[in-house]
Amino acid sequence: MKFFSNQKSHFIFVGTAILITLVSMVICFISVENYNKKDLKVNLSQMEQKGTQLVCSDFTLDITSRGGDSGAWIKDPIYDEEGNELHGQSVGTIYEVVISNTSNAILEDWTLELVMPEYLWLNNVWNGSMEIHQTTSSELIVQEVNLAEYTQTDIILDYYIDHTGPMVPMNPGDSFIYLPNVDNNEMPLVSPKHSGTGKTYALIGFITYVPNQTLDYLIDFNEGTVKYHLKMSIWDLPIFIFLVVILGILCVVFVALFVSQIRVNKLIERQKHDAEIIKQSISTFINFIEAKDYNTKGHSERVAKYSKLIAKEMGYSEDDCNRIYYIALMHDCGKISIPITILQKPSKLTDEEYEEIKKHTVYGDKMLRDFNSIEDINLGAMYHHERYDGKGYPSGLSGEEIPMIARIICVADALDAMDSNRCYRPRLDRDVIMQELNNNKGKQFDPRVVDCLLELIDNGDIVIG
């Protein structure tokens, strides 16, 4: 039974571990999902300056002029058709912005807003479109437009056209929000720490004109905002990979336990079947014995039941109690070899007849010695007439020398003999039986066994008289 208890506890343990692992995996999924949905925002002023780069934990931003002869130039004053100056001489500069993903996740849904620190003209942008926020004397105008493809858009901003394209005036505090071009792989930006297809950075270009400045003048873009999401795969979490491995191991163990339990169940059924065969075989043999001595009808069954109850009261395991039951059933099997005239003789036996009937213990031992299905089954038959004081038969054993199984059967056998009608006397009264049990403690009977029997009688588990 301990094995089956352990099996059950193993199932509970593994099942609980699987449940905890699954719950932990669900928590990981929820955590990743919440992480992926979190709106992130970084102000340029909060980023760390390293050379020309602005650095934060998830990305870097590098805003520089292109440099070289093609990076900056002087633009002459521009006049309208009536000769009015639209703006004076100005310096044109190409700026390039590189945003690079440095996180462990995919950077997506990102936008870059740059705030204009001074008055300038915004002329062009490439790779993507932008949402321009322009203030005029009367209102704020917001429009998404691709200045490189301005002919395809009805521009509502304040602007004019020259040979370079639209010129959009921007006041200090105006801004544009760059919207990445998905077709150019500007979004999403993959993590450089993981292999895979895609770009880790995006390059943005735009042109500005600043009035009344020299050729080497550069705008200090120090205000703006990057908004984005980080998308992490569940497989990016080491703890999730660990949980998957643990879940796999636990599932293998659970399946192994399940298969083992199936085999154990089959074994149990086979054991039950075998036990039933043994029980029926023993019962059939007992019927043969009792057919020779009708006065002891049911004696072996009662002795077996008493012996099992005593063994249980003494703390034996269920398996041992069942084994003792079968051993007790066969305690008188040697009587099959005793002549019926002796077994059923109503008068007192002669000394020769008594010596012959005593041999049933030895006959039973010989009959059962090769019966290996039940351990020590011969001991009950051989020694159940030994006395605790050493005056019994057939070997004259005493005290602890007598196998405990035989000491138990000895008491159960005597109880049933006193509580049954025999051919040579009627059953004894309850008080007489109790007195005999107590008087023979330490003499015929093991005192511990008698005390357990008396406890069973007092509790009503065994009824006599």
Side-chain angles (χ1 to χ4, degrees), residues 63-328:
I63 306 175
T64 58
S65 63
R66 176 177 287 181
D69 294 339
S70 63
W73 59 92
I74 297 297
K75 183 179 180 66
D76 293 332
I78 299 297
Y79 302 92
D80 62 16
E81 295 177 354
E82 298 177 357
N84 298 317
E85 183 179 274
L86 294 174
H87 67 76
Q89 180 178 295
S90 59
V91 59
T93 307
I94 297 176
Y95 288 92
E96 292 181 335
V97 181
V98 179
I99 180 169
S100 301
N101 183 6
T102 57
S103 71
N104 292 323
I106 296 174
L107 195 151
E108 62 179 15
D109 300 331
W110 66 271
T111 60
L112 167 65
E113 180 179 19
L114 280 183
V115 178
M116 304 298 109
E118 58 185 296
Y119 180 81
L120 55 81
W121 297 80
L122 185 64
N123 176 241
N124 202 351
V125 67
W126 50 90
N127 291 345
S129 60
M130 60 174 59
E131 181 182 282
I132 298 176
H133 293 237
Q134 181 191 61
T135 57
T136 65
S137 58
S138 59
E139 61 180 335
L140 170 66
I141 303 175
V142 178
Q143 183 179 18
E144 180 181 339
V145 62
N146 186 342
L147 294 179
E149 302 290 340
Y150 67 92
T151 58
Q152 301 179 11
T153 306
D154 183 14
I155 300 176
I156 62 173
L157 300 164
D158 182 16
Y159 77 103
Y160 75 90
I161 300 292
D162 71 359
H163 66 280
T164 62
M167 299 286 287
V168 180
M170 304 287 284
N171 293 306
D174 290 351
S175 66
F176 70 80
I177 299 176
Y178 182 76
L179 307 174
N181 190 326
V182 176
D183 295 335
N184 288 340
N185 293 323
E186 292 184 335
M187 188 175 69
L189 301 179
V190 300
S191 170
K193 299 178 183 180
H194 293 79
S195 60
T197 59
K199 294 170 64 176
T200 61
Y201 69 93
L203 173 63
I204 307 163
F206 62 93
I207 299 173
T208 64
Y209 290 94
V210 180
N212 305 317
Q213 294 292 348
T214 59
L215 191 62
D216 59 354
Y217 180 75
L218 294 176
I219 302 172
D220 183 15
F221 292 102
N222 56 15
E223 290 189 35
T225 303
V226 178
K227 296 180 180 180
Y228 60 101
H229 289 103
L230 286 178
K231 183 177 182 181
M232 179 184 293
S233 169
I234 190 66
W235 298 103
D236 292 334
L237 291 179
I239 184 63
F240 182 78
I241 297 175
F242 172 76
L243 290 173
V244 169
V245 173
I246 293 299
L247 180 62
I249 294 173
L250 290 173
C251 287
V252 170
V253 172
F254 188 85
V255 171
L257 284 173
F258 183 77
V259 173
S260 174
Q261 188 61 44
I262 293 176
R263 293 177 178 175
V264 168
N265 290 341
K266 290 182 179 179
L267 177 61
I268 293 172
E269 291 301 318
R270 179 62 182 271
Q271 289 176 337
K272 289 181 178 179
H273 179 70
D274 292 346
E276 187 63 26
I277 291 176
I278 293 173
K279 183 178 180 180
Q280 291 178 9
S281 300
I282 292 175
S283 296
T284 300
F285 190 76
I286 296 302
N287 290 334
F288 291 150
I289 298 171
E290 294 182 344
K292 293 190 69 175
D293 187 3
Y294 57 83
N295 290 305
T296 59
K297 180 70 174 177
H299 169 70
S300 295
E301 177 68 24
R302 291 191 297 273
V303 171
K305 289 181 178 178
Y306 295 159
S307 298
K308 183 176 181 180
L309 287 170
I310 293 170
K312 184 177 181 182
E313 183 71 17
M314 294 180 71
Y316 282 81
S317 68
E318 183 176 351
D319 288 341
D320 283 338
C321 288
N322 290 331
R323 184 170 63 89
I324 291 171
Y325 173 84
Y326 288 122
I327 293 173

Side-chain angles (χ1 to χ4, degrees), residues 42-62:
V42 176
N43 294 324
L44 270 57
S45 59
Q46 298 173 338
M47 298 177 68
E48 181 182 1
Q49 183 83 40
K50 289 186 178 180
T52 61
Q53 282 189 342
L54 296 173
V55 180
C56 73
S57 59
D58 297 327
F59 62 90
T60 62
L61 196 65
D62 198 353

Side-chain angles (χ1 to χ4, degrees), residues 393-406:
Y393 63 87
S395 302
L397 302 180
S398 64
E400 300 296 321
E401 294 177 337
I402 307 170
M404 178 56 76
I405 294 174

